[in-house]
Structures are given as structure tokens and as C-alpha cells.
Amino acid sequence: MSSEMLPAFIETSNVDKKQGINEHQEESQKPRLGEGCEPISKRQMKKLIKQKQWEEQRELRKQKRKEKRKRKKLERQCQMESNSDGNDRKRVRRDVVHSTLRLIIDCSFDDLMVLKDIKKLHKQIQRCYAENRRALHPVQFYLTSHGGQLKKNMDENDKGWVNWKDIHIKPEHYSELIKKEDLIYLTSDSPNILKELDESKAYVIGGLVDHNHHKGLTYKQASDYGINHAQLPLGNFVKMNSRKVLAVNHVFEIILEYLETRDWQEAFFTILPQRKGAVPTDKTCESASYDPQSVRMEECGSDSDSSEEEDSRNELDSPREEKQDKENHTESIGNSLPH
């Protein structure tokens, strides 16, 4: 080999060597067969299943919202036609007919909750108050055994509560304010299933965000006080693929919706969060397949981790719009239905 060709040969050899090194590095960076392909976990599988269910029910949710908007629009039109003062500048408010039904949130479980759960309960109470104020048939709203951590949290974070209207906030226990024969405690452990709401009665929702740590507590309390008890007919109309966990405000809103529509199924599907995968039950199997013990209604709880914050041991925050549905359907399902 001549001395003139030697530098060119050395340069070519270096280039080939570098290319070989680069190819080796690229090959080593590629994941080997079987690496990086971890099997899907049960939690991920559940999320995928919920996502699929949520997508499949998109049209159902859309239709429900469309029907509700149509109904509200018709109500507004009727109200405007009957408005004889001709003042179109004023916002027309629907005819509100106050219900005589008393709805009580029992806050006597203050010592069973940590501050985090107290704050969740506070948020749910705020939601109940707001929904009742805008309802077509608002109930007589009571907050009993109000004190302790809950009152302190409300004083610190929501000082305006002292100016709330159309609500009875009492430090006394509900049994001191309402006749025993008028009381009905809503608890999922009760063997009695509500068919209708009696507006002469007072229905009690347990204000307890306990994440299933105190199962059967509200039922025991109702039994100890000799108070009538019942559960909402959730299992007769709804099949839920998630844990049967609802928040205090869910129970409250379902009752408000039922007073307006007199239709349990419509009330449940209007209010229940879509992340719970609720679907209508087969009515032919209602009496045969419904097990009251399988529907746990826990006392309290918005967000939902968001789901954990809103849900707890009672029945009833329902995302009312597609955006809220989308935000909430991925939330963890760690709370329980009303007692």
C-alpha cells in the first residue's frame, strides 16, 4: 500500500469503526424481548373498564342532559308567558313551591372523624345548602348536633354560614327537635326500602365521612333510639359496577330531584356520578336479584380524592355537565353510600 493511500485507508477504517459502535449502542438501547412489557395490573384494568363504560354511556348522559335542558327551557317559557308585569329586564325565577318534608344532616359523629374528613363533610353541606336554595321544591333543611370540629372549621373557612337562609342550624340532637314518630333514618343497613317520600316526615342523613370504618353505625343508632329507618330504593333501579359509595350531598340531591320529578330512576341517573358506572337494572329481575345488604349507603363525603372527598356513607355530587363527568370519572372510588 502506498504512503499516499494510507491516510485515506485509516480515515475510512475510523468511520467504519464509529458506525459499528453507534449501531451497537442503538441495539443495546432497544428493549430486549420481554423487557418493558409488564403485565397490566388489576387497578389499571379496572380503570380501562371504567373508561370503556364511561365512553359507552356518553350518549345516554347526553340524552339525559338534553331532556333536562328541554324541560327547564319549557318551564322558563311558561313562566315568562304568565309574567304579566311586562318587566323583561328582571330575571324570571321559576315558581318555587316549598316542600314540608324535613331533611336533617346528623352531625353527631364529629368525634369519629379526623380533620380531613370534617372538611369533606363541610364541603358536602355547602353543596346541599346551594342545591336546596336553587331547587324547585326546597325542603326544610336542618343541621343538628352542630359543634366541635365542624363548627370550628366552618368558623375559620366559611364565616358566611351564619348568614345562611332557609336552614335550621342547631347544636341540639335531632331527637330533641323532632317527634320520634316523625323521624326516619336513611341507612343502607335497613331492611326497609322506601317507595315514596312522606312530606310530613323528617328524614335523617348521617353526617359521617368514615370510609367504611364504622359500618352499621347509623342503623344501630336508629335502632337504639327506637327511630324508624329505611334505605332509598337504589337497587331497584340502578346497577353499579363500582363500590356502592355515595356522599351526603348525593342523598340530599336525589331527594330534591325526586320531589321535582316523582321518578326514582330519573332522580338516581340525574344525580349519581358517572364514574360509578351506574346502569339501569333489568326490571324483570328486580325482586329476585336485589340484595339490600349489597347496597351500602355511607354517610358523607366531593371530591372526590375527589371521589373520596365527596363520597362517604350516605346516598346521594353529581356532575351535571359533560366536563364535570370527564373530570370525575377517573377519580378513585374510595368512599361509601348513605346510612
Side-chain angles (χ1 to χ4, degrees), residues 3 32 45 64 70 84 87 116 137 139 171 173 192-194 198 200 211 247 253 270 303 305 308 320 322 325 328:
S3 58
R32 296 178 182 177
M45 180 63 73
K64 287 285 183 184
K70 188 175 181 180
S84 58
N87 188 354
K116 179 181 177 181
H137 299 294
V139 298
H173 192 265
N192 308 319
I193 300 176
L194 280 179
D198 185 345
S200 68
H211 309 292
E253 291 178 65
T270 300
D303 192 22
D305 299 29
E308 271 188 50
R320 305 239 176 166
E322 184 77 16
D325 286 342
N328 291 327

Side-chain angles (χ1 to χ4, degrees), residues 101-151:
L101 182 146
R102 289 159 289 178
L103 198 50
I104 302 166
I105 296 181
D106 173 19
C107 303
S108 63
F109 306 100
D110 193 87
D111 59 334
L112 299 178
M113 292 182 283
V114 296
L115 181 58
K116 179 181 177 181
D117 292 333
I118 290 289
K119 290 181 177 180
K120 292 176 185 179
L121 176 60
H122 177 202
K123 288 182 180 180
Q124 292 176 21
I125 291 171
Q126 288 177 314
R127 180 62 179 263
C128 293
Y129 173 73
E131 291 298 324
N132 196 50
R133 289 281 290 167
R134 67 169 69 104
L136 192 60
H137 299 294
V139 298
Q140 307 301 310
F141 187 10
Y142 283 78
L143 208 60
T144 63
S145 299
H146 183 250
Q149 297 181 86
L150 178 61
K151 183 178 183 299

Side-chain angles (χ1 to χ4, degrees), residues 168-180:
H168 308 279
I169 302 178
K170 304 290 185 180
E172 296 89 357
H173 192 265
Y174 60 84
S175 61
E176 301 175 40
L177 303 170
I178 311 292
K179 295 179 181 178
K180 183 182 291 187

